[in-house]
Amino acid sequence: MYSFSQVQTYLKCPLQYKYKYIDEIIPPREESLELILGKSVHQTLEFLYQQVSIFQVPGLDTVVKEFDQKFNSLVANTSFEDDKIWIFKNRWRIYITNHYQRNHPFEWFKVLSTEEFFNFKLPNAHTFRGYIDRLDKNGNTLIINDYKTNKSLPTDEDQMYDEQIILYSYGILQKYGEQFDKVVGKLEYLHFDYIKEVDVSPNALEQVVKKYTDIVDEIEHKKTLFRQGDENAFEPKESSLCRFCPYKEICPLFAHWMGKVSGEELGKESIAAIVDEYVANANKIKELKNHNDQLKKILVEYASKNKFLRLFGKQYQIKIHTRKDFKIVDKDWLKSVLEKLDLLSEALEIDRYKVAKMIKSGKVDLKLLKDIVEESEVVTLRGGERE
Ligand code: SF4
């Protein structure tokens, strides 16, 4: 079974996904006041809307009292400083007061459920698990509400939460679809007292469902490769998020320095010295190449001006060889010209990088290309400054 957070973990880093969901390595969970705040907000709004759903709208004071008890019990055995706890409590009071006043007397909609887990099928028949903070109905419209306590708003480019609510709409329609004409997604950013309505049009549903179905297919393909013995099927994807990764000590990109090193013939320090020497040499080679490119420019200009084909140093000589090269400006036009001349198949060459991409993504099964394509490993070393 898949979930939105599983897919997000995979997109962030396939190797982190493997550690968490295939190897089931559970990192120690760090409690933070942000998490406690999120938990308390969700629990208190759940309390509020459970009451609303049975026509017992509690007063704001009752809701705040409920929160204080929940928040206090969540911070009871932590070591956070009192003034920090106060800041988070105050944030909550503001969130809940704004939310309550905006929605009071809670009459224009009916609450169908709160904190609802549900399963649904993707078109590729894989099961996906969804979770909705609150589900309402207003006439023939189904409303999905998701509360966010983030202190920053996602940019227009960051569509993650929109996609989540669209995907859940697809799932919830499998459960209630026959009874409603329309679904509306609402992302409520409590910190900003702002509600973003998400477009859940058939077009948006189609695009998002296709995207997530394709990702699940890709994960399934990698799982198959892994089961067949490909240890590298889930590759590490380095990004700024590595700083917060709980698997850094075992990740092959960081384990040499952070993790335990066993069975090395050379010690960690000796390898470190070789790394430094290798990168310093690579930098020198790069510098020399740049310098040589400048020398080449001077020599070519000089030879061309004087119509020389060979230049002499005291120890070495250089022969100048010129050949014609051609850059394609309009590929489609060129194709049609070559086609007319019956030369297209002669000019077309299979792009091996594209073929490799098709194999890696599972679009083509390597078994089908047995005896046609040979698999090998290419090792590249890329040097850089240490963080
Ligand atoms: S440290 Fe970075 S690359 Fe390694 S598993 Fe974690 S997220 Fe992936």
Side-chain angles (χ1 to χ4, degrees), residues 15-162:
L15 184 58
Q16 191 184 92
Y17 171 89
K18 174 181 169 284
Y19 287 147
K20 192 166 177 183
Y21 298 106
I22 298 178
D23 301 340
E24 294 183 358
I25 305 170
I26 310 295
R29 196 177 160 83
E30 274 183 33
E31 202 59 290
S32 73
L33 280 168
E34 283 292 349
L35 279 177
I36 291 176
L37 172 76
K39 235 187 251 175
S40 329
V41 164
H42 281 80
Q43 286 179 357
T44 315
L45 289 178
E46 185 185 8
F47 160 77
L48 168 65
Y49 283 101
Q50 276 174 355
Q51 296 300 108
V52 170
S53 72
I54 51 168
F55 313 108
Q56 299 291 318
V57 178
L60 181 57
D61 287 357
T62 313
V63 178
V64 170
K65 209 166 132 205
E66 177 74 16
F67 157 74
D68 273 337
Q69 283 166 7
K70 288 195 184 299
F71 197 97
N72 290 343
S73 70
L74 287 169
V75 290
N77 295 318
T78 62
S79 52
F80 299 114
E81 293 156 20
D82 285 351
D83 51 349
K84 289 215 174 99
I85 293 176
W86 184 88
I87 290 170
F88 278 82
K89 247 188 183 180
N90 192 44
R91 261 175 69 188
W92 184 86
R93 281 206 182 92
I94 293 169
Y95 295 172
I96 215 69
T97 306
N98 289 342
H99 177 95
Y100 187 97
Q101 287 171 347
R102 185 166 12 87
N103 289 290
H104 191 266
F106 308 96
E107 279 172 352
W108 66 270
F109 58 88
K110 293 276 175 274
V111 179
L112 287 181
S113 64
T114 54
E115 313 283 316
E116 177 170 348
F117 281 101
F118 60 101
N119 295 339
F120 59 96
K121 292 272 182 213
L122 288 175
N124 60 5
H126 282 286
T127 309
F128 213 95
R129 167 159 259 216
Y131 172 81
I132 289 175
D133 287 338
R134 196 180 89 236
L135 197 60
D136 298 333
K137 92 177 255 313
N138 178 19
N140 285 337
T141 303
L142 194 59
I143 307 165
I144 297 177
N145 300 279
D146 195 5
Y147 315 128
K148 302 285 178 208
T149 52
N150 311 22
K151 273 208 316 307
S152 58
L153 267 185
T155 59
D156 291 348
E157 273 170 26
D158 185 356
Q159 295 287 312
M160 184 174 82
Y161 294 143
D162 297 40

Side-chain angles (χ1 to χ4, degrees), residues 13 16 236-237 242 245 248 251 253-254:
C13 172
Q16 191 184 92
K237 185 168 159 188
C242 291
C245 177
K248 220 170 161 181
C251 168
L253 287 181
F254 298 96

Side-chain angles (χ1 to χ4, degrees), residues 254-273:
F254 298 96
H256 176 238
W257 209 253
M258 294 190 63
K260 290 190 187 93
V261 180
S262 60
E264 272 188 316
E265 283 177 26
L266 291 168
K268 191 147 105 174
E269 298 295 337
S270 316
I271 290 289

